[in-house]
Amino acid sequence: MKTIAVMFAMDAEARPLVDHLALEENPSAFARANGAAPMKCFTGRVTSSSTGEDDAPTVIHVVCAGSCAKHSVCNVGTVGAALSTYETCVSLKPDVIVNAGTAGGFAKRGGKVGDVYLGSTFKNHDRRIPIPGYDAYGVGEYEAHPTPKLAEALGCKRGVVCTGNSLDATETCKKLLDEYQASVKEMEAAAMAHVAHLFGVPFIAVKTITDIVDGPVATQEEFLANLGAAAAALKNVVPKVVDFIAGRDVDDL
Ligand code: SAH
């Protein structure tokens, strides 16, 4: 693999990988946006443990959605995700995009705090447009790039990832999350999958569970209580994903 982009919504999710790979901040990554792009990029090179000594190292860009200039919090959600994926595809031209982050899980589908999932399919559960044609557009279903070998190497769960712009879930959201058999609920992956598809860039997502959507504790409380456990799971798994991908061809994942 020549170039990998690993994309996060929140700086705190990205930091352990940036430190682990000793990446340098890359202030010119999104220069074409003339300072308007909120994203941050950290760049370096990795040599996979499975790569021969003669092989060139893989360039890795870790991209975070950055902070909202008006509200001074991370640009979580689909707007920040689409912006950062678009600019990443145009400016950094990755061979593969990996979205990594925290997410909600579902006890009724076997999810537990700290679980790691590779996304199989991405759907939006909060874009409900009951007009013929727009209904399917709203759901915006995209498939992950096939990664059977990576899934086996990680020994992680696989499942449908559903994206919406709220941390909570209304009754209608919950009904759709069940209809779509969601194993993972988060706020970015379907937007990134859509943009990656525009550019024909293979897209995969690895998500660790901070909170149980169908559990007894309110999402925001549980999210904050378990962020450490999920961040530790991310810190453990994302370097493995990078090492695995860096040493292979995109059709051999
Ligand atoms: N309160 C947090 C902000 C969390 S916003 C803070 O202190 O900074 C939620 C982020 O976590 C999004 O990037 C989203 O993708 C992910 N996430 C985790 N659990 C989620 C859930 N149950 N539903 C939706 N998004 C979730």
Side-chain angles (χ1 to χ4, degrees), residues 9-10 76 102-104 167 185-188 210-211 219 223-224:
M10 298 173 68
V76 301
T102 60
L167 186 63
K185 172 180 177 286
E186 49 74 89
M187 298 173 63
E188 293 86 18
T210 38
D211 52 271
T219 296
F223 176 94
L224 292 174

Side-chain angles (χ1 to χ4, degrees), residues 187-227:
M187 298 173 63
E188 293 86 18
M192 291 188 178
H194 179 129
V195 177
H197 179 81
L198 280 179
F199 286 86
V201 178
F203 177 77
I204 67 176
V206 51
K207 298 280 164 171
T208 62
I209 302 303
T210 38
D211 52 271
I212 299 299
V213 178
D214 53 348
V217 187
T219 296
Q220 54 274 34
E221 270 174 50
E222 205 177 12
F223 176 94
L224 292 174
N226 296 323
L227 190 55

Side-chain angles (χ1 to χ4, degrees), residues 37-63:
M39 297 81 75
K40 281 189 219 151
C41 180
F42 301 85
T43 300
R45 287 171 196 277
V46 284
T47 305
S48 169
S49 54
S50 61
T51 309
E53 273 182 16
D54 296 340
D55 290 316
T58 298
V59 173
I60 177 162
H61 301 289
V62 170
V63 177

